[in-house]
Amino acid sequence: MSPRIARTLALSAATAILLAGCAPEPDPAADEPTTVTFRLWDETVAASYEESFDAFEETHPDIDVQVNVVDWEDYWTDLRTDIADQTMDDLFWVNNSYFGAYADAGSLVNVDDVLGETAKDAWEPSVVDQFTRDDSLWGVPQIYDAGIAVYYNTAMVEAAGLTPEALEDLTWSPDPEEDTYTEAARTLTLDSSGRAAGTEGFDPAAVSQYGTNLAYDLQAILLPFIGSNGGEFQDGEDFVFADDEKATEAISYLVSKIRSDHVAPDPAETSADGDFSRDAFIDGRMAMFQSGLYNLKNVQAGADFDWGVAMIPSGPAGQVSVTNGVVAAGNAASENQDAIAEVLEWLGTEEGAAPLGESGAAVPGVTDAQSTFFDYWEGEGVDVDPFFDVVGDDTIPSPTGPDFAKAFAEYDPIVRSVFEGGVTVEDGLRAAQDAANSALAG
């Protein structure tokens, strides 16, 4: 070997050693997946999302989706605080009453921009419409809530001499001559001595079985009763429930059934615990429970008696329900926009949405996945048609508007007082409406 070649090899070896010594240490985090957090308020549906995201991560190993459940009671307060503090999850559930404020503030990912304007063709049209603002869609439809129906305890209904078919024909009305609902609810309400409401000796302080639930519950009770009386809760984004005679009439009816006829739990109990009526039904202490699909799995899991589902009672304007939806919204302030887009795209597919329906937890917002929900409940022998048959041309819209949260904070305690008897219906609703609209104006 020539001296020149030997020197060249030696220099090359020395250079390699120096370069190796200067090379950066391998970064263990370089191969770590991007963590994306997803917030919702329903523990039951969360289990279905875990299944969906397991499948997603198999084809997207670079993204790890973590599900975060926040209770409904704290959800909207935490959402507002966390978005303001920029500590919000990457993706989160939002409903149509609250999304407007966040869309207007630029806090939500524009789904049309990220996934394309044709993506919505695969999703439940009513949910798409609810979450479209300024000609843009602000979330990927996840749940179609359909309408409100009445769960019933079969044994209690039969013991009262009623039938499930009879429940379908019940009519409520401010006119006692037209009102068959009150008598059925009285018959189904018993005190600890077995006396029915309205009969001699009935003790309203010792109710052991409630006929129904008529709590201050906007979605399940107030809006369907207002709508089925031909009334309005809002006109556009303005609140009109005090100006609208039919709305005031419907709320007066509800309050009288609770406070005078004693066929439903005391508002002091239902205000303190939003699940009081649901739990009373599941525990066998309530004959009829008016609610939505969102309680279907809860009833199935908790009730150890035969139960079924009937249409809501007809009012002077017929059977009118509210219908709602839930979307997955992207956090526009997150640093993980590429990963958010991937997850949103997945949630909008049949494969990504199917686990929600396969478990019976919810009707997927993806139309091609909705059959999984119906297949599940058909296999369980439960007729869910009443939740869907009530949703037709006549529905009453949910409250909406970018300032709904401000208005709600003002009117909510006053309406609660109306139900609890702290103020008359007329005075309370007038004060509540004025407070709500002042919040909008402010």
Side-chain angles (χ1 to χ4, degrees):
M1 178 184 299
S2 70
R4 180 180 297 175
I5 293 175
R7 286 196 301 271
T8 300
L9 289 174
L11 287 171
S12 297
T15 302
I17 292 171
L18 287 172
L19 289 174
C22 295
E25 291 293 325
D27 182 4
D31 296 328
E32 290 293 317
T34 299
T35 297
V36 173
T37 56
F38 181 83
R39 183 182 298 193
L40 68 159
W41 60 73
D42 192 316
E43 192 76 52
T44 302
V45 182
S48 299
Y49 274 119
E50 295 282 7
E51 180 181 344
S52 174
F53 292 138
D54 283 346
F56 170 79
E57 290 165 5
E58 288 182 5
T59 56
H60 298 76
D62 56 328
I63 301 175
D64 174 35
V65 185
Q66 296 182 359
V67 177
N68 176 22
V69 179
V70 175
D71 288 342
W72 173 265
E73 289 77 10
D74 301 318
Y75 194 87
W76 303 108
T77 301
D78 288 358
L79 179 64
R80 181 177 65 249
T81 301
D82 292 343
I83 285 182
D85 293 343
Q86 296 191 349
T87 56
M88 187 56 196
D89 292 274
D90 299 293
L91 299 113
F92 51 93
W93 267 9
V94 67
N95 67 18
N96 59 333
S97 292
Y98 286 92
F99 90 98
Y102 298 110
D104 290 359
S107 300
L108 308 183
V109 169
N110 186 319
V111 171
D112 289 335
D113 289 346
V114 173
L115 300 185
E117 294 190 8
T118 61
K120 67 184 70 173
D121 296 342
W123 305 331
E124 175 62 41
S126 66
V127 183
V128 170
D129 290 344
Q130 289 170 18
F131 291 89
T132 296
R133 187 172 179 83
D134 296 330
D135 297 323
S136 293
L137 180 61
W138 299 98
V140 174
Q142 295 299 284
I143 291 178
Y144 169 46
D145 258 343
I148 300 300
V150 176
Y151 299 86
Y152 61 84
N153 183 311
T154 304
M156 289 181 179
V157 168
E158 292 177 350
L162 300 170
T163 65
E165 292 74 23
L167 299 184
E168 300 273 1
D169 295 329
L170 292 179
T171 299
W172 80 268
S173 174
D175 180 358
E177 296 296 322
E178 303 292 331
D179 184 24
T180 62
Y181 181 77
T182 294
E183 184 55 35
R186 284 173 177 165
T187 303
L188 291 165
T189 302
L190 305 175
D191 66 14
S192 57
S193 297
R195 291 181 287 251
T199 63
E200 186 177 355
F202 171 75
D203 184 0
V207 175
S208 61
Q209 174 183 306
Y210 294 104
T212 187
N213 65 312
L214 297 175
Y216 168 42
D217 180 330
L218 189 63
Q219 180 169 349
I221 305 296
L222 259 69
L223 290 177
F225 272 86
I226 290 172
S228 61
N229 200 38
E232 291 185 310
F233 190 78
Q234 269 185 309
D235 181 7
E237 294 180 359
D238 292 328
F239 294 87
V240 296
F241 49 77
D243 292 334
D244 191 303
E245 180 182 352
K246 296 298 183 181
T248 300
E249 201 171 49
I251 295 173
S252 295
Y253 177 89
L254 292 171
V255 172
S256 71
K257 297 307 103 180
I258 298 169
R259 306 201 65 79
S260 299
D261 291 298
H262 307 288
V263 298
D266 190 293
E269 295 178 299
T270 55
S271 292
D273 179 2
D275 294 329
F276 182 91
S277 295
R278 182 200 69 192
D279 293 343
F281 178 78
I282 290 173
D283 292 342
R285 296 182 290 114
M286 180 178 288
M288 298 186 295
F289 171 52
Q290 184 165 312
S291 189
L293 286 170
Y294 45 86
N295 271 317
L296 193 52
K297 283 290 283 186
N298 294 318
V299 171
Q300 182 199 36
D304 61 358
F305 50 82
D306 290 337
W307 56 275
V309 184
M311 295 278 283
I312 57 174
S314 294
Q319 291 165 315
V320 180
S321 176
V322 65
T323 182
N324 280 319
V326 174
V327 298
N331 181 357
S334 169
E335 297 179 353
N336 299 320
Q337 292 302 313
D338 290 342
I340 287 174
E342 294 280 357
V343 178
L344 286 175
E345 183 177 20
W346 169 259
L347 292 174
T349 65
E350 180 180 359
E351 185 179 2
L356 278 67
E358 289 170 348
S359 66
V363 183
V366 179
T367 52
D368 283 347
Q370 290 178 353
S371 61
T372 60
F373 175 86
F374 296 103
D375 290 345
Y376 175 89
W377 288 108
E378 182 179 357
E380 295 295 313
V382 176
D383 180 11
V384 297
D385 288 348
F387 294 104
F388 297 88
D389 291 345
V390 75
V391 181
D393 295 333
D394 294 326
T395 58
I396 181 170
S398 290
T400 189
D403 291 319
F404 170 74
K406 295 179 183 177
F408 176 79
E410 296 299 323
Y411 82 68
D412 176 65
I414 305 174
V415 178
R416 286 184 186 276
S417 183
V418 168
F419 275 77
E420 293 171 4
V423 62
T424 66
V425 174
E426 291 76 12
D427 290 346
L429 293 184
R430 172 58 57 191
Q433 179 182 293
D434 290 348
N437 288 330
S438 292
L440 298 182

